[in-house]
Amino acid sequence: MSDCLFCKIAAGEIPSAKVYEDEVCYAFQDIAPQAPTHFLVIPREHIASVSGVNAGNSAAVAHIFEVIAKVTAEKGIESYRVVSNIGEQAGQSVPHLHFHVLAGRDMTWPPG
Ligand code: 5GP
Ligand code: ZN
């Protein structure tokens, strides 16, 4: 999608601090970290949010969870939170599917 911030980040058109990449997904440091570890994992394909996941693109989502498991294990992170906000009320500010990976501090439940 030509006018999407995260499509541009995945394409390297806007700089970011890379954590991991492959042909399906891209992971990078959040610009405003909410925990000592806070990176985002996005599909290279534009999907607006979890609400846009379907049988035709869900393989990318499964792959992203494999990547999250692999990258956190490589970093020695045993406890972490994965968050995806869907829609304005839930706090989604960028309309390209992304999974926040947060770790390194105590977290509350339920979330605020
Ligand atoms: P959301 O609010 O949609 O769940 O998450 C969007 C996240 O993207 C936020 O945590 C925000 O800090 C991050 N973000 C927004 N713009 C940029 C950017 O240009 N670069 C990076 N690395 N992160 C961004
Ligand atoms: Zn996009």
Side-chain angles (χ1 to χ4, degrees), residues 1 3-8 43-47 95-97:
M1 197 182 184
D3 198 28
C4 169
L5 173 64
F6 283 0
C7 281
K8 288 178 179 167
R44 291 192 182 278
E45 174 188 357
H46 182 86
I47 301 170
H96 179 126
L97 178 63

Side-chain angles (χ1 to χ4, degrees), residues 49-86:
S49 75
V50 168
S51 295
V53 175
N54 56 45
N57 59 25
S58 60
V61 178
H63 178 78
I64 282 171
F65 276 85
E66 285 185 42
V67 166
I68 290 171
K70 176 180 147 77
V71 171
T72 52
E74 284 174 358
K75 291 180 178 295
I77 298 170
E78 293 178 351
S79 183
Y80 56 98
R81 184 171 288 181
V82 180
V83 174
S84 192
N85 299 318
I86 297 98

